[in-house]
Amino acid sequence: MNRNLRILLLCWLALMVGLVYFDALYFDGINHFRPWYFDMLLHFLGGGFIAVLFLYFAGKKMFGILNGRFFPFALLTLGAAALVAVNWEFYEYFVNIYLRLPQDSITDTFSDLALGLAGAATTFIVLKVTMKGNSKF
């Protein structure tokens, strides 16, 4: 399981870095129009990345403690993603206050949180289904 998660983690990290680099280079430098769905894509993939990160670093230990039960394991994974997503939204809020940038609406904040959790849940379920034969997941 660790080898598969390590490969997935590295691929996900490369994808996230590539998307953020593309966002900074293309949308902030060349074309100042960012598609409405790009922010949603980044938050969804970010939630999935946090789920993979949590499963890689704490998954084996948590799996042993919880005796392989699905619901508590999924809840802990979603909790880790929610913690990171909420802290990210606080970061955005304080950056907007101190740099005096225009503030996004509360709807954007809630959609960002929901998409992060959806990405974590989707990633957890996909990994659970694909690694079903593995006794350590």
Side-chain angles (χ1 to χ4, degrees), residues 62-115:
M62 287 293 142
F63 189 82
I65 292 171
L66 298 172
N67 295 325
R69 290 178 295 190
F70 176 80
F71 187 72
F73 199 46
L75 201 59
L76 278 173
T77 305
L78 290 177
L83 180 69
V84 172
V86 167
N87 283 321
W88 180 260
E89 292 303 319
F90 276 124
Y91 164 76
E92 282 185 355
Y93 175 74
F94 288 121
V95 164
N96 288 339
I97 286 176
Y98 290 119
L99 297 180
R100 304 209 192 289
L101 298 172
Q103 185 71 0
D104 289 331
S105 68
I106 193 75
T107 306
D108 179 62
T109 300
F110 281 120
S111 71
D112 291 348
L113 292 173
L115 284 164

Side-chain angles (χ1 to χ4, degrees), residues 14-29 31-47 88 92 104 108 111-112 115-116:
L15 176 67
M16 291 298 296
V17 168
L19 283 173
V20 170
Y21 181 74
F22 176 73
D23 178 45
L25 180 68
Y26 184 70
F27 293 130
D28 291 338
N31 182 9
H32 295 287
F33 175 72
R34 181 178 282 120
W36 60 271
Y37 56 84
F38 198 75
D39 179 56
M40 294 177 172
L41 176 67
L42 287 178
H43 282 281
F44 185 82
L45 291 175
W88 180 260
E92 282 185 355
D104 289 331
D108 179 62
S111 71
D112 291 348
L115 284 164

Side-chain angles (χ1 to χ4, degrees), residues 122-137:
T122 303
T123 302
F124 181 82
I125 290 170
V126 166
L127 285 176
K128 183 70 175 165
V129 168
T130 57
M131 296 183 173
K132 193 170 188 168
N134 193 337
S135 62
K136 294 182 179 168
F137 186 75

